[in-house]
Amino acid sequence: MSTPTPDNTPVTDDRLQDVESTPHLMTDSAADTERRAADRSGAERWQAAVHGIVNGSVLVTILAVVLALVACGILIAITDQGVQQAAGYFFARPGDTLRAIGTAVGGSYASLFQGSVVNFGADSFAQAVVPITRSIDYAVPLIVAGLGIAVSFRAGLFNIGGQGQILMGAAAAGWFGFSFDLPAAIHIPLTIVAGIVGGAVWGGIVGLLKARTGANEVVLTIMLNYVALYLVSYMLRTPGLLQAGGSPNPISPAMKDTSVLPALFGPRYGVDLGFIVAIIAVVVVWWLLNKSSLGFRFRTIGENPRAARVAGMSVPSLTFWVLVISGALVGIAGAYQVQGAVTSGFTSNIDAGIGFDAITVALLGRSKPWGVFWAAILFGVLKNGGYAMQAANGIPIDIVGVIQALIVLFIAAPPLVRAIFRIPQPGARRKRSTKSERKAVAA
C-alpha cells in the first residue's frame, strides 16, 4: 500500500513506519544528551572538588607542617654527634653517614610520636594512649586562647594581648577559686566565669580606647601585657590580695578542691573537664562567626570597614565587642591554668607563654574555629613530645620551638610552599581557561 504525497512521491508502509518511529528516535537522542550532560556535570563537580582540595589552604597548611619537620630533621642531623663522626669518613663509607642520619632523625621523631600520641611499646592499650591525653592537656588552653585571637583576626583586629588577658583571667579565677567554699557543681563553673570576666575586662579596655580614641590596638595590647604582669606580681606580693597567708613568696593560696577541674578518665590520664569546655567554645565561636548576625557584622568590618559604615553598622561599637569577646575567650585559658590539678598556688608566670603561642595557633588554623582546634592539638603534641624527644635522644627542647617557628614561616608564605611542591597558584588555572575561551571565540 502507498500514500500519495504533495510532490506525487509515493510513501510506502515501510517509510510510514520510519516516520512514525522518528519521534521515538528523537526522544532517545534527547535522553542520551541529557545523560551525557549530567555525566559531564558530575565529572566537573568532582574536578572542582579535587581542584579545591589541591589548591585550598588546608593542603598548603599540611605541606607547611611537612616542610617544617623536614627542615628540623636536617637541623637534628647536622647537630647529632653520631652523624658528625660518620660524616668524617663519608667518602670511604657513605652508608654509615646515611644510617646515622636515619637513626638520628627517625629516632627523634619516633620518640616525639610515642611520647605525645601513642606509645607502641606500652604493655596495654590503656597505657599506650596516655601520651595523647597529656598532649590534649597542653592543647586545651591553646584552643580557647587561639579562638579568642582568631575572633579578633576575623574582625580585622590584632589582639597581641593574650598574655595580659590570661594573667587577669587567672587572677580573677584564682581569687574566686581559693576564697569561697561552694559545692563543686557551682564552684567550678563560677570560677570559669570569673576567668571569663577577667579576660573580658582586660580586652574591653583595649576595645573602649580603640573605639573612642582610635588608638592602635597592637600597641595597647602589648603595653597592657606589661601592666597585667606587674599588677599580678604586685597582688601576689601583697597580703590580703592574692598572696598566700604566712608565705613570704609571691604565690597564691592553693585552689579549693571544689574548684579544680575533675579528670574525665581518672588521674592517670590528662584529659579533664576543660577539654569539654574547649569543645563547647569551638562550637559556640563557629556558630557566632558563621551563623549569627553579630558574627556577620564582625566579618564585615574585618573585610571592609567602609562598606560596613555605609550599611549602617556601628564600627566603634562592634570593635569594642570584638575585643571583649576575644578577651573573654582568652580568659578561659587563664582559668584553666589555675583550675588544673594543682597542689599549690600560682605565680606570675602562670601564662606559660600561651598568650603568644595562641597567635601562632590562630595563624595556623587560618582563624577558623575548627582549624584553631586542630592547630592547638598539633602544638600540644609538639610540646608534649618535645620532652620525650629530649629524654630519649638528648635533642634540645628548643627544637620544638624551631618547628613551631618554621610552621609559622611557611604558613605566612604560601607562595613559597606552592612553588616548592609545584602547586599552581590560586586562579592560575582559571586564567589559562579564560585565555583558551577567548581563542575559541576568536576562531
Side-chain angles (χ1 to χ4, degrees):
M1 177 181 177
S2 62
T3 303
T5 61
D7 59 354
N8 296 323
T9 302
V11 179
T12 63
D13 293 340
D14 295 337
R15 289 186 61 185
L16 284 172
Q17 292 176 359
D18 293 340
V19 172
E20 291 174 356
S21 63
T22 300
H24 299 286
L25 293 175
M26 293 178 62
T27 304
D28 293 341
S29 177
D32 292 340
T33 302
E34 292 178 359
R35 190 180 303 109
R36 286 193 295 269
D39 293 340
R40 282 197 301 270
S41 64
E44 290 174 357
R45 285 196 296 269
W46 279 106
Q47 290 176 358
V50 173
H51 183 266
I53 293 172
V54 171
N55 291 328
S57 60
V58 175
L59 179 63
V60 174
T61 301
I62 294 173
L63 293 178
V65 175
V66 172
L67 280 177
L69 294 176
V70 170
C72 284
I74 295 173
L75 181 61
I76 291 171
I78 292 174
T79 58
D80 184 75
Q81 294 183 354
V83 174
Q84 294 173 356
Q85 293 175 359
Y89 55 90
F90 174 78
F91 294 102
R93 287 188 295 178
D96 290 356
T97 304
L98 296 178
R99 280 192 294 271
I101 292 174
T103 300
V105 178
S108 298
Y109 284 153
S111 299
L112 187 148
F113 183 84
Q114 292 187 359
S116 61
V117 183
V118 177
N119 183 9
F120 294 110
D123 297 332
S124 63
F125 175 79
Q127 188 175 356
V129 297
V130 168
I132 187 62
T133 64
R134 301 297 180 187
S135 299
I136 291 174
D137 181 46
Y138 283 110
V140 167
L142 289 174
I143 293 172
V144 287
L147 289 172
I149 304 300
V151 168
S152 65
F153 283 172
R154 293 291 291 272
L157 301 171
F158 294 91
N159 181 6
I160 317 297
Q163 180 188 18
Q165 291 153 20
I166 287 177
L167 285 171
M168 297 310 295
W175 177 81
F176 196 91
F178 64 69
S179 298
F180 297 95
D181 289 311
L182 298 170
I186 299 175
H187 206 177
I188 290 175
L190 288 182
T191 303
I192 297 175
V193 170
I196 291 174
V197 172
V201 168
W202 213 243
I205 293 173
V206 179
L208 184 62
L209 294 174
K210 172 76 175 178
R212 292 295 182 89
T213 66
N216 189 292
E217 74 275 7
V218 175
V219 177
L220 290 174
T221 50
I222 291 176
M223 292 299 101
L224 282 176
N225 284 341
Y226 292 100
V227 175
L229 176 62
Y230 293 119
L231 179 60
V232 172
S233 298
Y234 166 76
M235 290 190 291
L236 288 171
R237 288 184 173 90
T238 304
L241 294 178
L242 291 180
Q243 187 181 31
S247 174
N249 299 320
I251 189 171
S252 73
M255 299 286 286
K256 297 292 178 64
D257 292 339
T258 54
S259 67
V260 175
L261 296 172
L264 296 180
F265 306 109
R268 183 179 185 180
Y269 301 97
V271 181
D272 56 26
L273 188 62
F275 184 56
I276 305 299
V277 174
I279 293 178
I280 294 173
V282 172
V283 174
V284 170
V285 172
W286 174 85
W287 178 85
L288 172 68
L289 293 177
N290 297 289
K291 299 297 182 180
S292 69
S293 60
L294 182 61
F296 173 76
R297 294 186 179 93
F298 287 171
R299 290 185 284 114
T300 302
I301 65 172
E303 294 290 337
N304 195 330
R306 184 173 299 176
R309 292 190 186 94
V310 173
M313 299 180 187
S314 175
V315 175
S317 176
L318 290 172
T319 298
F320 170 75
W321 285 111
V322 164
L323 289 168
V324 168
I325 294 173
S326 177
L329 289 166
V330 179
I332 299 176
Y336 183 81
Q337 288 296 97
V338 300
Q339 283 186 276
V342 293
T343 56
S344 59
F346 64 90
T347 62
S348 58
N349 61 356
I350 189 66
D351 67 288
I354 294 170
F356 292 104
D357 288 343
I359 300 173
T360 308
V361 168
L363 290 173
L364 181 58
R366 304 285 183 179
S367 298
K368 298 179 180 179
W370 288 109
V372 169
F373 175 84
W374 291 113
I377 295 294
L378 173 63
F379 271 51
V381 166
L382 291 175
K383 183 172 289 188
N384 186 30
Y387 297 110
M389 187 170 62
Q390 182 181 31
N393 302 83
I395 304 298
I397 192 65
D398 297 331
I399 290 293
V400 174
V402 174
I403 295 175
Q404 295 175 351
L406 287 175
I407 289 174
V408 176
L409 173 64
F410 290 125
I411 287 294
L416 175 61
V417 178
R418 294 179 184 274
I420 292 174
F421 290 97
R422 297 182 179 275
I423 301 175
Q425 298 295 332
R429 185 172 299 180
R430 176 60 184 166
K431 290 180 180 179
R432 287 197 296 268
S433 62
T434 303
K435 290 181 179 178
S436 62
E437 290 172 2
R438 290 175 181 174
K439 290 180 180 179
V441 171

